[in-house]
Amino acid sequence: MSAFRTLDDAGSLTGKRVLMRVDLNVPMENGRVTDATRIARVAPTIREVAEKGAKVILLAHFGRPKGKREPKDSLEPVVPALAAALGREVAFAADCVGEAAAQAVAALKDGDVLLLENTRYHPGEEKNEAAFADALAANGDVYVNEAFSAAHRAHASTEGLAHRLPAYAGREMQAELEALTKGLESPQRPVIALVGGAKVSSKIDLLENLVAKVDMLVIGGGMANTFLHAQGKSVGKSLCEKDLAETATRILAAAEKAGCRIILPVDAVAATEFKAQAPHDTVSVDAVPEASMILDAGPRSVAEINAAIDEAKTLVWNGPLGAFELAPFDAATVAAAKHAAGRTKAGHLVSVAGGGDTVAALNHAGVAQDFTYVSTAGGAFLEWLEGKALPGVEALRAKG
């Protein structure tokens, strides 16, 4: 982790005001948190810094208030769930800058935790305005970024602050960066990437970056249909972006030039209706009936994918292989996920996965905890895989 400054480089934090950017954008219903996963992930770092005698001042956004003070986007209802996760009291300030914030910070004792109100109540946050970043920085001595999920945004609380105070990656951010470095930056080879999902159009940058970096690329889900169509195969009534056939052909050519082996489905599970338990047949991708749609990869395709995973030392996974929300069209995703998890547990594979559908698919398969690392960061994870620099991460790079 020498590339990034972490809490290990921060020295003594006793008595310091530590401004910590966290992701508390959690699902709420009737004023209560319904899924505390994000809170659970940042709690250890908050606790560690508090136990080191720092005054922990939490910065976070909630919803999309677009610079306006919307009561529905207040962070105050998150306080009980946060306090429960930390096992300690959490104070709350009605603003993240100005008098309300300053008074709340001044009242803190060493080891106390304070949550400031939604940073996005101020237009200066998303515009990364210097004056707003200065106002945030006035309440801290040290800055810790523990919100990888927001690191692809050059906002005042994710990027601006890192240039105004000594800045470090929190433990969760550190784990994410270490996992991604193992996945693509300096991986053990051979590397296999598995990319699924509905549309090629949303993952063109991703595919173009991956073919230049990995040894094998599995393309699954609805997006595989566009590649099959580009190869002249009929995909019946399947989801297919026929206007992107040229793009698919270009990606296939780039992969061949880079020495990246593309693995597309060779058989498919097809049905005439998009619904759970719809009558279905397993067919060759050369013989998809005109009235049918491909809803999952078939068993021969899964066998080929699993054999490729056996060859690999590193796996990067983004997106399901089929319509995994509908049984039995979850079979390919579950089988490949279980196989990858088994290889990981046996010590043969470093497996890094991320993206919303991916997390849901691995949880559905019951193997998320068996992967080396599963990112909940969504957009930031995807942008990293696309080879884009993330402003919040770049600001934490060690100098020299």
Side-chain angles (χ1 to χ4, degrees):
M1 278 302 297
S2 57
F4 301 96
R5 298 185 301 273
T6 74
L7 282 171
D8 295 324
D9 306 308
S12 173
L13 295 175
T14 305
K16 298 276 181 73
R17 299 171 302 164
V18 175
L19 283 170
M20 189 183 299
R21 180 58 160 93
V22 291
D23 184 357
L24 301 179
N25 197 23
V26 293
M28 304 277 290
E29 208 169 281
N30 301 320
R32 293 173 68 86
V33 175
T34 55
D35 182 349
T37 304
R38 284 180 168 169
I39 294 172
R41 283 208 160 185
V42 298
T45 303
I46 297 170
R47 209 179 293 116
E48 177 188 339
V49 173
E51 286 169 1
K52 286 180 175 175
K55 297 161 182 172
V56 186
I57 302 146
L58 302 175
L59 296 167
H61 74 277
F62 191 86
R64 298 177 183 274
K66 296 291 179 193
K68 297 190 177 78
R69 190 169 283 271
E70 300 278 359
K72 67 177 173 57
D73 293 322
S74 174
L75 276 165
E76 191 167 11
V78 178
V79 170
L82 184 58
L86 293 173
R88 62 177 70 211
E89 282 187 31
V90 176
F92 181 76
D95 207 343
C96 59
V97 291
E99 195 59 30
Q103 284 181 4
V105 170
L108 292 176
K109 299 185 189 71
D110 293 357
D112 283 355
V113 180
L114 166 68
L115 174 61
L116 301 182
E117 184 57 283
N118 196 341
T119 55
R120 290 189 185 173
Y121 276 180
H122 296 267
E125 162 71 338
E126 294 187 74
K127 292 176 183 172
N128 200 3
E129 285 179 356
F132 182 65
D134 288 342
L136 290 173
N139 288 316
D141 305 304
V142 172
Y143 171 70
V144 173
N145 194 339
E146 189 63 324
F148 180 80
S149 54
H152 58 315
R153 309 290 188 206
H155 292 173
S157 70
T158 59
E159 198 265 350
L161 266 177
H163 300 293
R164 286 164 171 78
L165 297 171
Y168 307 96
R171 297 303 185 199
E172 183 63 22
M173 171 77 91
Q174 179 181 347
E176 188 101 31
L177 296 176
E178 286 174 346
L180 294 175
T181 300
K182 281 181 186 172
L184 275 189
E185 298 302 305
S186 53
Q188 289 183 284
R189 292 194 175 274
V191 182
I192 185 168
L194 191 155
V195 180
K199 294 184 174 182
V200 174
S201 53
S202 62
K203 295 191 178 178
I204 293 171
D205 290 348
L206 172 60
L207 294 170
E208 289 183 333
N209 185 50
L210 287 177
V211 294
K213 287 196 168 184
V214 306
D215 304 292
M216 297 172 278
L217 174 60
V218 176
I219 300 174
M223 61 196 301
N225 303 333
T226 301
F227 283 84
L228 295 172
H229 167 73
Q231 292 181 331
K233 300 183 195 302
S234 171
V235 294
K237 293 187 174 173
S238 307
L239 176 67
C240 180
E241 294 173 289
K242 294 184 177 177
D243 56 321
L244 288 181
E246 199 175 304
T247 301
T249 303
R250 187 180 75 234
I251 290 168
L252 292 171
E256 188 173 352
K257 188 177 178 184
C260 170
R261 186 166 111 223
I262 298 283
I263 299 168
L264 285 165
V266 291
D267 61 345
V269 181
T272 54
E273 293 179 278
F274 185 79
K275 70 175 187 180
Q277 307 303 335
H280 54 276
D281 293 300
T282 300
V283 297
S284 163
V285 292
D286 294 307
V288 178
E290 275 305 309
S292 294
M293 62 186 90
I294 296 170
L295 294 181
D296 199 13
R300 284 197 297 128
S301 302
V302 173
E304 193 174 322
I305 291 165
N306 287 351
I309 290 172
D310 287 344
E311 291 176 42
K313 289 190 176 171
T314 302
L315 165 69
V316 178
W317 186 319
N318 174 256
L321 292 170
F324 79 98
E325 313 91 331
L326 308 174
F329 309 111
D330 57 348
T333 302
V334 169
K338 286 185 171 176
H339 189 74
R343 296 286 295 170
T344 305
K345 284 172 78 176
H348 302 309
L349 188 70
V350 171
S351 52
V352 180
D357 279 355
T358 313
V359 178
L362 297 184
N363 282 331
H364 173 71
V367 297
Q369 71 285 353
D370 296 327
F371 271 54
T372 306
Y373 191 82
V374 177
S375 170
T376 57
F381 181 83
L382 262 180
E383 288 199 18
W384 180 288
L385 292 190
E386 288 167 1
K388 295 174 181 172
L390 310 185
V393 169
E394 294 304 309
L396 300 174
R397 281 197 185 274
K399 306 288 191 289

